Amino acid sequence: MQEFDYSLDFKAIDFRQHPELYRMGRGEQGVLLVEPYKSEILPHWRFKTPEIARQSANAIYQLFLNYKAQQDFVGMDMARKFLQMGYTRARRYANHKSGRKYDKDAQVVLPRVEDPVKAESAQIFYEKWQLAKTDSLYIELRDRHRKQSAEAQVLD
């Protein structure tokens, strides 16, 4: 798997116009960098309560479907990343009320205290994330993008 390329000038690149420059990376890498998608998706990303999480996950998944209709892989992948990040962040707050996993002074893992509200928010995002990442067109476009990216790297 190709690593996310943090060396790019993200302020200057429109990834809708230059999808060939996009690298998936691992997990949520680059989720807050890739424009114009970040600006389109981020305003919808919330997880404070299950109701808010449901509205957020539904809105982001609808963006995923809109990008899918356009066969816009970068948009689909960014929406998938935001859904994944909704799950991971809500899960972190479900496990640790402060959102901090580690004690800032001792660098030890803080005790887990389950917050059922945040756990429900996490589950809502998890379900939409799974729908996105297992979508057959998403998988097809992802594999094609990875192959094209690998071929382009060989030519460089």
Side-chain angles (χ1 to χ4, degrees):
M1 170 183 290
Q2 291 185 351
E3 294 295 320
F4 188 80
D5 187 355
Y6 287 101
S7 70
L8 297 174
D9 182 1
F10 289 96
K11 293 183 191 306
I13 299 171
D14 179 331
F15 284 89
R16 184 170 283 126
Q17 299 300 316
H18 296 285
E20 73 280 2
L21 297 175
Y22 179 72
R23 299 295 177 268
M24 288 178 65
R26 300 183 198 290
E28 304 157 20
Q29 286 182 323
V31 73
L32 298 176
L33 296 172
V34 177
E35 292 288 5
Y37 305 101
K38 177 196 92 169
S39 293
E40 294 169 358
I41 303 168
L42 183 60
H44 302 283
W45 186 73
R46 303 285 180 266
F47 58 88
K48 186 173 185 174
T49 67
E51 296 79 26
I52 292 169
R54 190 168 290 106
Q55 290 173 354
S56 176
N58 286 339
I60 294 169
Y61 187 69
Q62 186 57 56
L63 287 170
F64 174 87
L65 295 175
N66 295 348
Y67 297 132
K68 177 182 176 177
Q70 300 164 25
Q71 293 202 11
D72 180 346
F73 169 72
V74 179
M76 291 173 76
D77 196 51
M78 289 295 293
R80 183 223 20 111
K81 287 181 180 194
F82 270 94
L83 292 168
Q84 182 177 356
M85 188 168 69
Y87 166 71
T88 59
R89 295 312 181 278
R91 200 59 249 167
R92 180 182 300 161
Y93 281 90
N95 295 339
H96 304 283
K97 185 174 177 74
S98 70
R100 293 181 195 260
K101 182 176 180 179
Y102 296 96
D103 179 275
K104 63 181 175 181
D105 298 322
Q107 292 301 313
V108 296
V109 176
L110 294 167
R112 285 178 63 157
V113 178
E114 183 75 13
D115 178 338
V117 172
K118 291 294 187 294
E120 186 178 347
S121 294
Q123 185 61 33
I124 291 164
F125 272 99
Y126 181 82
E127 290 168 7
K128 293 296 186 185
W129 170 37
Q130 296 308 300
L131 284 175
K133 82 175 200 174
T134 60
D135 182 271
S136 60
L137 182 60
Y138 170 78
I139 293 168
E140 177 186 330
L141 294 176
R142 179 199 67 198
D143 293 348
R144 182 182 317 153
H145 186 83
R146 283 181 177 164
K147 183 178 182 204
Q148 290 170 343
S149 295
E151 289 170 358
Q153 210 169 32
V154 168
L155 295 175
D156 286 343

